[in-house]
Amino acid sequence: MRKAERARKTNETDIKLAFGIDGEGKADISTDVPFMTHMLDLFTKHGQFDLTVDAKGDTEIDDHHTTEDIGICLGQAFLEALGDKKGIKRYGSALVPMDEALAQVAVDLSNRPHLEMRAAFPQAKVGTFDTELVHEFLWKLALEARMNLHVIVHYGTNTHHMIEAVFKALGRALDEASSIDPRVKGVPSTKGML
Ligand SMILES: [Mn+2]
């Protein structure tokens, strides 16, 4: 099983995380940001990963540091769990509807960090969560996992649905990209490395 752990403690957050790529969709998520707990839970389920997160942070300020640092830890754990990337599909994509919302995610585990995001959320907040933090989380995830991540929310009216569709599509796209294709010998790059 490809897996990795991260523990990260700063003056702003205290995070422990264990991630498995070849999992069963088992999530044990406890964070000080309830909306992120909800998103990580369904990300894990739809990616068929295993994920344990214990994240405490300075949410008395806002959810920024905690959300950002979970993204950092998850990205680092994902990259380490991928190992030498031999035999992986490398690319993955998913188009996921959630009621009236439609989100699309395309990913290349390219070792070239990039985030491209097209999403206009109608509300600035879902509950107490600032919706601008979705971009913050995704950028730190892409940066630390060294992946090229493209996220499009085609349409939607309910911000909760739109973000939920993004995280489900993210799980499915990363599941595909990280999965082993028995036809792939070595690393799937004409350069010979990723
Ligand atoms: Mn929901």
Side-chain angles (χ1 to χ4, degrees):
M1 168 130 164
R2 294 172 292 170
K3 57 187 180 180
E5 294 183 8
R6 272 292 172 283
R8 187 177 191 275
K9 193 175 191 314
T10 70
N11 291 333
E12 296 171 345
T13 65
D14 185 356
I15 294 170
K16 293 178 200 71
L17 180 150
F19 177 76
I21 291 178
D22 309 301
E24 299 174 333
K26 280 190 295 183
D28 181 6
I29 318 286
S30 170
T31 85
D32 285 344
V33 184
F35 188 72
M36 279 307 296
T37 301
H38 181 34
M39 292 304 107
L40 292 170
D41 196 24
L42 51 87
F43 162 80
T44 305
K45 175 65 89 179
H46 288 274
Q48 289 291 320
F49 305 125
D50 288 338
L51 180 62
T52 303
V53 180
D54 180 12
K56 297 177 182 66
D58 55 2
T59 51
E60 70 282 1
I61 299 172
D62 65 9
D63 294 342
H64 192 119
H65 299 141
T66 309
T67 303
E68 177 180 16
D69 291 0
I70 295 170
I72 290 171
C73 289
L74 183 59
Q76 290 176 349
F78 189 77
L79 184 66
E80 186 184 324
L82 278 172
D84 60 12
K85 298 184 179 173
K86 279 187 182 149
I88 64 166
K89 286 186 176 171
R90 178 180 165 182
Y91 294 95
S93 64
L95 185 64
V96 171
M98 167 88 201
D99 294 352
E100 87 300 338
L102 183 67
Q104 189 163 30
V105 170
V107 64
D108 177 8
L109 301 177
S110 57
N111 202 35
R112 295 154 69 98
H114 187 90
L115 172 66
E116 206 60 50
M117 186 168 173
R118 303 281 183 271
F121 299 127
Q123 293 171 272
K125 278 186 181 283
V126 173
T128 57
F129 181 79
D130 294 310
T131 56
E132 67 179 12
L133 296 179
V134 175
H135 183 280
E136 193 64 28
F137 175 85
L138 293 173
W139 167 231
K140 293 303 159 65
L141 176 72
L143 183 65
E144 296 294 340
R146 302 192 62 78
M147 67 172 84
N148 180 8
L149 178 62
H150 288 238
V151 176
I152 306 165
V153 178
H154 290 286
Y155 45 77
T157 53
N158 181 289
T159 304
H160 185 125
H161 289 165
M162 293 162 84
I163 298 171
E164 190 160 325
V166 166
F167 275 86
K168 286 177 175 172
L170 179 68
R172 288 178 174 270
L174 286 176
D175 179 39
E176 183 183 14
S178 63
S179 65
I180 301 291
D181 183 339
R183 297 170 302 173
V184 176
K185 307 298 178 208
V187 166
S189 165
T190 52
K191 261 189 231 167
M193 68 172 292
L194 281 174

